[in-house]
Amino acid sequence: MSETSVTLYRRMKDLPSTHLLGSGTPMCSGCGGLEALHEIYDVIGEKSVFVNAAGCMTLLSVYPFTPFRGSWLYTAMASAPAGAQGVRDALDILLEKKRITQEEDMEVVVLTGDGAAYGMGLSATSGAMERDLDFLYICYDNEGYGNTGQQYSGATPHAAKTATSKGPRGFTGFKKDLFSIWAAHKPAYVATVIGSEPLDLARKIAKAKQLKGPRMIIALAPCPPGWDFDPQDSIDIGKLAVKTGVWPLKEYVDGEVVHTKVPHQRQPAEDYLKCQGRFKHLFEPKRNESLLKEIQDKVDRYWDGIK
Ligand SMILES: Cc1ncc(C[n+]2csc(CCOP(=O)(O)OP(=O)(O)O)c2C)c(N)n1
Ligand code: SF4
Ligand SMILES: [Mg+2]
């Protein structure tokens, strides 16, 4: 169990930590999703209801326990935003009937992986934004269906090998631009974050917490088994995602997109790619110059004109 998940487990109310550790969890060490979630939870706080679609983070809750001090609701993969609507409505009715006070109200938080956010749950999310649902959506993006063995998802980057993209060029599709898809709905807030940039992350979650309406967060989540790297490199790989410009840190608020960290002296994208086994075929047995250039050009095109 990773140190972050141990700490998260110790948050569990009324239970000695030995019990929690004894109950065990199948989370991987070096999990970037758990790292981000831990940091996000520190800011959101315990007055929260997590509505979680099936994925790796579902393993945090082992019935009847949950590491969260608030509540936890499990939903089918496509349904977490619909579940969040039900929870929000129930809280609003309790508030209206004065069965709970404003102080007892809770933040409704959707937590899903990219398979749900970029794919199966996208229409439910679109509907929730359309209804101006007051909720926070956290997508931890490990760029594949991790819990079932890293099949490709709508978030898988071009050329990455996955369990379902094993050919010589890896995944031939392109990562969906979920940030723009979400921002096109004009919700209250959209941001990208990563656990290895905790101050940027904490500032964005604190800002989202102050707002009402749909608040959408995508956390890139380095995933040792899915991306094929040593768990101890997780934070370095996360930092490289930002320094190479592969993962832009930005936010959408009041109709404008602002980059919160611009890598002016960008490292080559291959510095990020070469430390992950899923991109090994780009370097061995010989360098695939055209595919490497294609990836670098795409990163450069993104940053052209952004100050
Ligand atoms: C409709 C449906 N299809 C398939 C599954 C099996 N399943 C459970 S978790 C999972 C992977 C989810 O991927 P993602 O949302 O990216 O989360 P991750 O596993 O990467 O944390 C799948 C396919 C399911 N629970 N429901
Ligand atoms: S498979 Fe990846 S996302 Fe899932 S628990 Fe392991 S490291 Fe985390
Ligand atoms: Mg995933």
Side-chain angles (χ1 to χ4, degrees):
M1 190 192 300
S2 70
E3 199 178 306
T4 46
S5 67
V6 169
T7 322
L8 202 55
Y9 255 67
R10 283 188 179 142
R11 290 176 188 285
M12 283 173 74
K13 202 161 44 180
D14 304 332
L15 286 167
S17 59
T18 46
H19 179 94
L20 308 178
L21 295 173
S23 71
T25 173
M27 307 298 291
C28 315
S29 51
C31 173
L34 199 51
E35 179 195 21
L37 176 59
H38 191 175
E39 293 168 11
I40 290 167
Y41 190 70
D42 278 348
V43 182
I44 296 175
E46 54 192 65
K47 276 186 5 190
S48 46
V49 182
F50 276 77
V51 184
N52 173 234
C56 286
M57 298 303 148
T58 305
L59 304 176
L60 283 169
S61 282
V62 182
Y63 183 81
F65 304 116
T66 163
F68 296 86
R69 285 177 180 261
S71 288
W72 179 279
L73 175 72
Y74 172 72
T75 69
M77 270 194 76
S79 314
Q85 179 81 55
V87 174
R88 186 62 261 162
D89 288 351
L91 287 164
D92 287 344
I93 290 166
L94 291 172
L95 281 167
E96 202 179 301
K97 294 191 168 178
K98 303 205 182 324
R99 299 263 299 275
I100 59 170
T101 63
Q102 287 291 345
E103 281 61 50
E104 288 169 317
D105 191 17
M106 298 176 104
E107 182 78 72
V108 180
V109 186
V110 162
L111 175 68
T112 81
D114 50 286
Y118 286 70
M120 284 194 218
L122 192 50
S123 72
T125 313
S126 177
M129 284 192 273
E130 195 178 300
R131 297 188 300 274
D132 201 28
L133 178 64
D134 184 23
F135 78 134
L136 185 67
Y137 190 131
I138 296 157
C139 164
Y140 60 97
D141 179 1
N142 63 358
E143 304 189 317
Y145 286 86
N147 187 239
T148 42
Q150 198 72 0
Q151 295 82 16
Y152 85 78
S153 76
T156 300
H158 191 54
K161 286 234 168 150
T162 73
T164 42
S165 351
K166 292 185 170 167
R169 292 177 67 85
F171 179 57
T172 50
F174 293 87
K175 187 179 177 78
K176 254 184 223 173
D177 183 359
L178 187 64
F179 178 92
S180 298
I181 294 169
W182 278 355
H185 289 75
K186 305 197 188 321
Y189 190 66
V190 189
T192 57
V193 300
I194 189 161
S196 55
E197 296 289 346
L199 295 181
D200 180 80
L201 177 150
R203 193 187 59 73
K204 286 169 175 165
I205 303 300
K207 190 184 245 184
K209 212 178 153 186
Q210 300 302 316
L211 297 168
K212 285 262 173 227
R215 291 147 292 149
M216 320 297 287
I217 307 287
I218 316 170
L220 186 68
C223 168
W227 298 10
D228 189 12
F229 65 81
D230 191 315
Q232 70 180 351
D233 297 334
S234 194
I235 291 177
D236 289 343
I237 287 175
K239 284 188 177 297
L240 275 170
V242 176
K243 285 183 187 163
T244 55
V246 166
W247 186 246
L249 292 174
K250 55 188 171 180
E251 59 189 359
Y252 163 94
V253 67
D254 292 335
E256 273 190 49
V257 176
V258 175
H259 286 79
T260 54
K261 206 166 185 145
V262 178
H264 289 292
Q265 308 272 307
R266 280 199 312 281
Q267 282 183 234
E270 69 173 80
D271 289 1
Y272 169 73
L273 304 172
K274 69 187 174 201
C275 43
Q276 302 171 50
R278 64 180 174 156
F279 295 113
K280 195 171 169 193
H281 55 292
L282 299 181
F283 303 95
E284 293 174 19
K286 74 180 187 40
R287 286 172 63 88
N288 188 331
E289 296 295 355
S290 70
L291 209 36
L292 284 167
K293 181 170 180 316
E294 196 186 324
I295 293 169
Q296 184 64 59
D297 285 351
K298 195 155 189 285
V299 174
D300 293 345
R301 269 201 311 278
Y302 177 88
W303 288 103
D304 275 351
I306 291 173
K307 297 193 183 86

